[in-house]
Amino acid sequence: MLSSFFDVVVIGAGPVGLACAIEVQRRGFSVVTVDKGALVNSIIGYPTNMEFFSTPELLEIGGHPFPTSHYKPLREDGLDYYRRVAFAENLQLRLYERVLGLEGDAGRYEVVTEKGRIGCRYVIIATGFYDVPNYLHVPGEDLPHVTHYYKEPYAHTGQQVVVVGAKNSSAKAALQLLRAGADVTLVVRGSEISESVKYWIRPDLINRIKEGRIKALFNTTIRRITPETVEVQTPEGPQTLPATYVYALTGYHPDFSFLAALGITCQTDAAQTPTHDADTLETNRPGVYLAGTVCGGLNTSRWFIENGRYHAQVIAARLAGEATPKLPEVLQPVQFS
């Protein structure tokens, strides 16, 4: 039995999902945004005082100015901004409500949630990628002192911490942990710190490694994690590292099982790209659209807030029967990763 009916259901209350809801609502459609977590839940999960890699105007949605005293906004600035926009636009939100599936056909869909069924004509999926880590698949990864999300360094003063990864998130975590008094070892599968690490972060990390203040093991893989150690395989052979905490910051990917539950297929390319029309963003299910990072599948650096927000205009125009605007050229990713 339907609990409500809307023209459009947006799944995902992140910045791109909110942008979609705004553009659709402005064209006279009734819309509700559903999310299994909080408003902009992924940004809540970002590190404390994280600095976006973008200037404010590139993060704006709905034409609302992003006021901040910082040249590059902090996590907390973003949380306040997107909350204010959602309230200013009077968006209908159903938060902490997990979507379980999608039934019906074009024009007569039912979004099945853990709290009921929402009828709708169209569905927009803007679920991002930050909720599903790229697991190491090694014994001990599920131990309580192992995490795939970094928040802040202060609890690790005087502790031995292993950080896994060589991109922006692991680089920033290693540097912050060092400066908070932790004994940091960085484990890197490749031969060097990734060149994709931001230009003001990479030399800082490389110099701290050269000084010996951060220990770094390159061409190294994790074999096993125990309550007190991390066993690794290095080019010189196996080693055992002491560790009171492990940050496995190896990236994230879209929830493909969730997409399958909605009836969205994926391509057989290396990125497992969800099936959708590149111009209209419509999926293999008529009237169901993708928006934001989820469009890129495993290629999570293709779409982000700065260019994914334009998906909202494309989809809204499509639903309203307007000329579909051309998407901007894909930019280089400039936000936290």
Side-chain angles (χ1 to χ4, degrees):
M1 183 175 179
L2 295 181
S3 59
S4 53
F5 185 92
F6 295 85
D7 292 320
V8 182
V9 172
V10 178
I11 304 175
V16 173
L18 296 178
C20 289
I22 290 169
E23 294 297 333
V24 166
Q25 184 167 274
R26 287 178 178 176
R27 285 164 173 80
F29 294 94
S30 60
V31 57
V32 64
T33 303
V34 186
D35 198 293
K36 69 179 185 303
L39 187 68
V40 291
N41 196 66
S42 292
I43 298 178
I44 288 176
Y46 286 175
T48 304
N49 292 321
M50 181 216 77
E51 184 182 68
F52 281 91
F53 293 154
S54 288
T55 51
E57 66 274 9
L58 296 177
L59 301 172
E60 292 173 353
I61 60 174
H64 293 271
F66 189 156
T68 174
S69 60
H70 302 102
Y71 172 64
K72 293 179 180 178
L74 302 181
R75 161 187 176 270
E76 289 72 14
D77 297 326
L79 291 172
D80 185 59
Y81 169 73
Y82 292 116
R83 174 186 62 81
R84 288 177 180 272
V85 170
F87 287 3
E89 293 286 342
N90 196 29
L91 297 180
Q92 294 200 53
L93 304 171
R94 290 174 62 160
L95 304 175
Y96 298 100
E97 182 170 352
R98 184 179 295 274
V99 172
L100 303 177
L102 177 63
E103 298 178 0
D105 301 302
R108 302 184 304 276
Y109 283 118
E110 292 185 13
V111 176
V112 183
T113 80
E114 59 190 0
K115 296 182 180 180
R117 291 172 175 263
I118 308 170
C120 61
R121 296 165 58 199
Y122 307 104
V123 178
I124 302 172
I125 303 168
T127 48
F129 72 103
Y130 196 59
D131 292 329
V132 186
N134 295 328
Y135 289 106
L136 299 171
H137 299 294
V138 297
E141 190 171 11
D142 58 347
L143 290 170
H145 71 300
V146 181
T147 182
H148 295 271
Y149 296 92
Y150 171 76
K151 199 70 176 176
E152 58 185 20
Y154 308 110
H156 305 300
T157 299
Q159 304 297 300
Q160 294 169 312
V161 182
V162 169
V163 178
V164 185
K167 294 188 177 181
N168 284 296
S169 55
S170 52
K172 293 194 74 171
L175 289 168
Q176 287 190 1
L177 286 160
L178 167 69
R179 288 168 179 144
D183 182 353
V184 184
T185 300
L186 187 64
V187 176
V188 181
R189 184 174 56 181
S191 60
E192 62 177 359
I193 302 301
S194 173
E195 293 192 0
S196 68
V197 174
K198 296 306 170 184
Y199 65 87
W200 64 93
I201 299 173
R202 190 171 188 267
D204 188 2
L205 178 60
I206 290 173
N207 287 332
R208 303 297 78 75
I209 292 171
K210 286 180 179 178
E211 291 173 350
R213 295 176 64 195
I214 292 177
K215 297 181 286 293
L217 298 174
F218 294 99
N219 299 307
T220 297
T221 56
I222 307 293
R223 299 176 60 192
R224 182 169 177 260
I225 302 172
T226 76
E228 297 179 346
T229 65
V230 175
E231 298 176 9
V232 299
Q233 182 66 40
T234 76
E236 290 74 35
Q239 289 189 29
T240 299
L241 310 174
T244 54
Y245 214 85
V246 179
Y247 284 103
L249 305 178
T250 50
Y252 312 91
H253 64 267
D255 189 341
F256 292 111
S257 62
F258 177 69
L259 293 175
L262 300 180
I264 308 303
T265 61
C266 291
Q267 304 302 306
T268 57
D269 60 339
Q272 300 179 46
T273 307
T275 303
H276 67 285
D277 185 290
D279 294 321
T280 66
L281 302 171
E282 190 169 20
T283 69
N284 57 285
R285 298 194 74 175
V288 179
Y289 297 82
L290 297 181
T293 309
V294 69
C295 294
L298 294 175
N299 188 359
T300 55
S301 63
R302 179 175 175 82
W303 299 106
F304 34 97
I305 298 174
E306 292 86 330
N307 58 6
R309 59 186 177 155
Y310 292 106
H311 290 172
Q313 299 173 17
V314 171
I315 296 170
R318 172 83 170 176
L319 299 188
E322 302 170 1
T324 304
K326 183 177 176 57
L327 287 170
E329 293 296 322
V330 177
L331 309 172
Q332 290 298 313
V334 290
Q335 72 176 81
F336 177 76
S337 62

